[in-house]
Amino acid sequence: MTDSGTSRPEPAQILLVEDNPGDVRLTKEAFKQGRIENDLHVVSDGIEALDFLTQRGDYADAPRPDLILLDLNLPGKDGEDVLEELKDDPALRSIPVIVLTSSRAEEDVVKSYELHANAYLTKPVDPDEFIETVRAFEKFWFSVVRLPPEVDNR
């Protein structure tokens, strides 16, 4: 692909790791209302998330995400385990991870940052506030922050 300066930027690749269908729907709605081009990929548990990230099984052709939205309370392998494995992998550790969870527990906040999460957001209960939260971090991460290029350490 050539960069002529006139082509549209590639859509951001976002991986949402969320087992609650209502929160998935609200997140999709928030991104749809946003003005930033993105491709939202959704997996519903920690094992699927790691398969997606390492391109295993059904996810052999999965794109590398530019950003990961990670719920902590997941079936099977929980969000903390996913975060730990992700940040231990040299090929994946540079991908920013935003913990987006219903947990307000101080120990979850501390543990997430100890595992190198880039941000910790508590999901608002109100659907409109939830949508506004998603739109705010989308704008921040894709309009303000400069993301690292993909590093091939495999």
Side-chain angles (χ1 to χ4, degrees), residues 12-17 31 52-53 64-71 82-83 86-87 89-100 112-113 115-121 137-138 140-142 144-151:
Q13 301 296 318
I14 302 170
L15 177 60
L16 174 62
V17 186
F31 282 137
F52 186 101
L53 291 164
R64 176 188 168 88
D66 296 302
L67 182 70
I68 300 168
L69 306 177
L70 179 64
D71 187 17
V82 171
L83 185 56
L86 172 70
K87 294 301 182 176
D89 186 330
L92 301 173
R93 73 170 53 122
S94 66
I95 301 171
V97 177
I98 298 173
V99 173
L100 182 62
S112 293
Y113 282 115
L115 293 172
H116 306 288
N118 297 85
Y120 188 101
L121 299 174
F137 76 67
E138 177 192 35
F140 175 75
W141 282 98
F142 294 113
V144 179
V145 172
R146 183 169 176 192
L147 296 172
E150 180 175 348
V151 177

Side-chain angles (χ1 to χ4, degrees), residues 11-121:
Q13 301 296 318
I14 302 170
L15 177 60
L16 174 62
V17 186
E18 174 61 68
D19 64 321
N20 181 321
D23 289 348
V24 170
R25 183 181 50 76
L26 286 173
T27 304
K28 286 181 176 180
E29 187 176 324
F31 282 137
K32 188 175 170 185
Q33 291 178 10
R35 304 257 188 269
I36 299 165
E37 283 289 314
N38 62 65
D39 291 332
L40 183 65
H41 306 275
V42 180
V43 295
S44 59
D45 65 48
I47 294 167
E48 270 189 283
L50 291 169
D51 286 348
F52 186 101
L53 291 164
T54 57
Q55 298 177 314
R56 288 189 300 237
D58 292 342
Y59 301 103
D61 295 325
R64 176 188 168 88
D66 296 302
L67 182 70
I68 300 168
L69 306 177
L70 179 64
D71 187 17
L72 291 182
N73 305 311
L74 297 168
K77 188 177 288 269
D78 72 17
E80 287 181 355
D81 291 337
V82 171
L83 185 56
E84 187 168 20
E85 285 190 42
L86 172 70
K87 294 301 182 176
D88 281 345
D89 186 330
L92 301 173
R93 73 170 53 122
S94 66
I95 301 171
V97 177
I98 298 173
V99 173
L100 182 62
T101 187
S102 55
S103 174
R104 296 181 181 277
E106 190 74 24
E107 59 267 20
D108 287 341
V109 176
V110 170
K111 181 72 170 172
S112 293
Y113 282 115
E114 285 175 349
L115 293 172
H116 306 288
N118 297 85
Y120 188 101
L121 299 174

